[in-house]
Every structure is written in structure tokens, then in C-alpha cells.
Amino acid sequence: AIPQVESRRSGTPFWQLAGEAGMPATVVRVPVTFPAKAFPHGHLLAGLGVPDLRGRIGSPAYYTTDPGFVPGYDNEFSIEVVKLPPGQSHWVTKILGPQDRLFGSGSYLESPLLLTLSADGRKLELQTCGQKVTLAVGEWSPWVKVCFQFNPLVRVTGWSRFKLLSLEPHLKLYLQPINPDPLRTPPGFDLSAPRSWAAELFRQLGPFKTVGWAIDTWAPSEKVVDEQTFMEDIQHTEGEEFRRLLRRFLASQDTLLVHYFEFTDRVGHILWRALDPQNPAYPGPEAPRFAGYVEQAYQLMDEIVGEVQEQLGPQDVLLVLSDHGFSTWRRSFHINTWLAREGYLALTAPSGQVENLENLFNRGQFWPNVDWGRTRAYHLGLGGLYINLAGRERFGTVAPGEEYEALRRELAARLEALVDPATGAHPVSRVFLREQVYQSFDPKLIPDLIVTTSQGYRISWQSALGGMPDRLFEDNARVWSGDHCTLDPAVVPGVLFVNRPLLRRDLSMLDVYPTLLKLLGVRSSEPLSGHVFL
């Protein structure tokens, strides 16, 4: 059977209601819109959720003749590292592609890649899929098509860009995550709605990134590429390609345009350390330059907003909003380790289990050493604390009712009272019961408690993956140094700019949906939690 892609998003998007009311709308790169779903009078280009061609959120590749290079696989960001023999001028290597699930072999497809050093040793020629590109050190390639054959009749193609990082003393070549080809997508893998629209844009405006997580944060996190390369990617992707798309959409006669830009978030994750001298990853002498990159990103975003504003008529409404802000990430809290030490999560083997995404992809299960028959609580994702509830969980041990409620109260109180002995600070700011956050929810999916952290702290990557290192806290000395996940919302408020007076200033993200419906003059058949602010 051909693999299918299914969206589990629920609810009715506001653009769907606008389209049903006869208003033309364009929606661009909004998260959780893949696979793209058609709506009346509308065009949609899918955003976060579109995987790269390997089926991952993003998996770059790094080719090097450096025998001493060691990738940082102790973290959760994977890069395909290809070691090349040193002392040569010609290499026959490969580009790793998707797993062959179509015909059941399970192996990964490969595409040949030939690398040849020029006679003077100053350039590198790349050959793949019938194309030749020659690069000097520091130079990016144009968009390159990458081809993978399932069999003589079936193939899949994608697009990516190379950057030659170095030739001396070692060859270092960077390949970005491979973007699905809008001209050649399999059935059900809808990058846009209508399905043909992404291909039309691709033909008319030139190549652009289709993968949902468009800015590669893995390569700088692994220190495979430097911060300048990271910023060059942002300028090319967001400042040129996506901005070119935006200009096309602004020229239309649509009633509604929704366009998502992600790069301020990605810059915050990678470069926030430059704004905080107390961060373990503070870059020292490089801090002013890196902090300047953060400012440049916001200047670029301001330019984009200004360009949109110039195109508006007197009756047009402009909303610019983010769903979060940013803060420094200095210390990590291993909450599953705490649960195990305090007897809430029982183990069949000693603690100290360390996970990464590759293990989870290959093994297909979380928490391999947990005794579920003796476990009362566990943590999954970023801040999601679940009770091992009888009747809901396969091996549930906690009875619904008073036992469930008492355990939730106990966990919330103990976590909020927890102190990091190294700093004297409370790492957990507040623990919310889920009904304090959600007015309606699926009780089988939504965590029983939501754990938020204080400024400077975040729930660890290991806790998100089910890992249990042998310590409760550790310094975060990684490049991924700024965050918003698990932080108390009061620490990382988002922004809202509107070219109309606000009715009030005590606002919530829940208020955006009903406000948009009012502006569009449409109604929802579903109950609404928020309140109009315009």
C-alpha cells in the first residue's frame, strides 16, 4: 500500500469560514497545514509539518575529509555525516534519500554524488542527477535537483543547495535538507491547495523551500556551519524567496492574506546566548557580532512589515502577531529523572538512559526501561506531565477520581517547591491543571498537568524523548540557547501590532480567532473561548 499522510488538526480555520462566505483568501506557510486542505475561493501553501525528502523535520548532510571530525550525536539534532578519504582529488560518494517504504525494502535510497577538485586546488566540481556545479570556498550553489530511484519506473526528486565551507586543510561541504519537489509529489503529499498551485509558483517565481522547518538550525547546533552561514540561509530563504512570494500575493485582489515568517524564532533559538552573559554558551568576544545578527533579523522583519503596510488601503486591517517571545536557556531540568527518583516512575533498569531522535526512529518506542505496572506518572514532550491513569493507559495504575486528583495536586505542589541546589532558584514556575489551560480538550491526548519553568530554565530535550540522565539539572552550553517552550507564559509574552485602536489591552491568544471572524464578518458554528479586541 502507498503510504498516506494524515492531518490530525481539528477545528475550523478562520480562512475556511472566509472562503465559505465567498471571500478570496491566501494562506502561506502557517504551521500544521500539511497536507494542504482545499477551501472555497482559497489558496494555501503548507508550512511546518512538511517533512524533508528523508521524512524528517530536517536532515542536512556534511561531507568532510577531516578524520578527526566527531558529530555531536549526544544531542537531539541529527546530521548525515559522510566521511571522505583524505589525500584525493576525486570522490565518488552519495546523497542519502528517503527510506524505501513504497516497496517494503526498508533501506534508504541513495543518489550518486561525484566531487572533483580543480587542478589548482581552489574549486570543487559537484555532479549529481545530470547537473554540474563548480564552487569556490564560501560559495553557495544554485538550487540543485536531487533524484532517487525506487525502481526503473518510479523515482522521487527534491531540491537543495550546497555550500563549500573549506578545501584546506580538509574538504568540508554542506548540503541543506532536501525539499520535496512541488513539480513531482506523490498522491496525498499535498504541498498546496489547489494541489497544482505550489508547482505553478515554482515555475513562475523560481525555486523556494517547501520543507516546513525552512531554516536549518541543526547544522549550526552541531557547529558544522558557522553563524554567518546560518544568517546567509535566512537572508536567501526569507529575505529573498519568501519575500518574493509575499509580493506576488500582495498584488492579488484577495480579501484575506495570512503569511507566516519563522526566521525570528530560529534566530532566537540559535543566537540568544549572545544577549545573555550568564548563559553557559555565551560567545565571549563574538557576542557583539552575534547580537548584531539578532538585531538584523528583526530589522528584516520590520522591513517586511513596512512593505506590507505600504500596500494597504485606508480600510485594510493589518495584524502582526507572534504566539510567544523568547528568553535565555541556561539550565536544563530532567523531569523524568526526578519522577524516577521520587518513585512516581518505576524502572526495570538503572536510570541514566540517554536518548536521541535516531534511537527513537529506529527503535520506535519511548522509555524502554520503564515498569509501567508500578509507574504513576511520566513526562512526554515539553511540559506534558501525564498520570498513568487506569482505563486510559494500557497499564494504568492510578484510579480515576480522588486518587487521580490527589496525585495531580501532590505533583504540582512538589514540583513548584523544588529547588536547584546549584543556583538556589525554583526551576519550575507554575504547574497548571489542564482544565486551567483548556476550556475543552480530548482527555485521551491533553496532558493531565502542564509544567512551566522559570526564567533561565527549560525542560530538557532528554525529558522530551523519554530519557533519564543520571542528574536532575545540567548547564545548557549548546548553541540552541534561547527558547520559549515550557517557560511560564508570563516570561515569554508574544507581540501584537495592529493598525487599529484596541478595545482593551488584557489580551490572550484565544482572542485572535473571534476578532478575525468579526473583521471578516463571518460566524463560527463552534463555541468560542476568546473575546473580540477590535
Side-chain angles (χ1 to χ4, degrees), residues 184-413:
R184 196 183 181 96
T185 55
F189 196 96
D190 294 336
L191 298 174
S192 66
R195 177 177 164 81
S196 61
W197 189 50
E200 292 172 11
L201 294 172
F202 201 80
R203 292 189 187 98
Q204 294 170 8
L205 303 178
F208 57 87
K209 287 187 181 179
T210 56
V211 68
W213 191 283
I215 301 302
D216 177 8
T217 53
W218 298 272
S221 291
E222 296 279 11
K223 300 184 179 180
V224 164
V225 304
D226 60 14
E227 288 76 7
Q228 179 179 332
T229 298
F230 173 67
M231 294 302 296
E232 288 170 355
D233 180 30
I234 287 175
Q235 178 59 40
H236 182 270
T237 302
E238 307 270 3
E240 297 172 23
E241 292 177 353
F242 291 164
R243 201 168 178 180
R244 186 166 63 241
L245 291 173
L246 174 63
R247 288 168 181 153
R248 160 70 179 270
F249 306 143
L250 284 170
S252 74
Q253 300 300 312
D254 287 351
T255 303
L256 172 67
L257 170 60
V258 184
H259 202 299
Y260 172 78
F261 284 90
E262 66 188 73
F263 65 95
T264 52
D265 176 274
R266 309 307 185 246
V267 165
H269 285 305
I270 299 300
L271 294 173
W272 210 259
R273 56 201 157 100
L275 307 179
D276 177 19
Q278 297 182 56
N279 192 292
Y282 184 69
E286 295 280 24
R289 183 163 67 93
F290 294 171
Y293 288 156
V294 178
E295 186 174 355
Q296 288 173 28
Y298 281 92
Q299 287 172 343
L300 175 58
M301 193 67 249
D302 283 348
E303 290 175 9
I304 293 170
V305 172
E307 186 173 348
V308 172
Q309 195 167 13
E310 289 175 357
Q311 302 296 316
L312 299 181
Q315 302 304 314
D316 293 330
V317 180
L318 173 65
L319 287 89
V320 180
L321 73 157
S322 68
D323 63 330
H324 61 74
F326 257 89
S327 185
T328 185
W329 177 9
R330 301 169 185 161
R331 297 273 284 171
S332 298
F333 173 38
H334 300 299
I335 188 171
N336 274 323
T337 301
W338 182 85
L339 291 169
R341 288 189 182 182
E342 300 302 318
Y344 297 105
L345 194 157
L347 303 177
T348 59
S351 182
Q353 182 77 25
V354 175
E355 302 291 355
N356 60 43
L357 288 176
E358 292 298 317
N359 290 346
L360 294 176
F361 274 117
N362 293 332
R363 189 181 63 239
Q365 65 176 359
F366 290 78
W367 309 287
N369 58 343
V370 170
D371 181 350
W372 293 107
R374 296 187 298 117
T375 289
R376 293 190 292 156
Y378 61 96
H379 176 273
L380 173 63
L382 293 169
L385 186 53
Y386 291 84
I387 304 301
N388 191 22
L389 186 63
R392 182 183 68 184
E393 312 285 352
R394 183 179 180 185
F395 302 108
T397 61
V398 178
E402 181 51 35
E403 184 180 356
Y404 168 81
E405 297 297 347
L407 180 56
R408 289 206 301 170
R409 292 192 297 270
E410 176 184 325
L411 285 167

Side-chain angles (χ1 to χ4, degrees), residues 120-139:
D120 61 5
R122 300 177 66 178
K123 293 188 177 181
L124 185 71
E125 181 185 83
L126 297 75
Q127 296 184 54
T128 187
C129 201
Q131 303 150 105
K132 289 185 180 181
V133 176
T134 301
L135 298 177
V137 173
E139 190 175 4

Side-chain angles (χ1 to χ4, degrees), residues 86-116:
Q88 297 182 189
S89 60
H90 183 76
W91 297 269
V92 178
T93 183
K94 63 189 179 183
I95 300 173
L96 192 65
Q99 196 171 11
D100 184 5
R101 291 192 175 97
L102 189 60
F103 297 101
S105 71
S107 60
Y108 284 91
L109 303 179
E110 298 175 356
S111 181
L113 174 64
L114 307 181
L115 306 176
T116 304

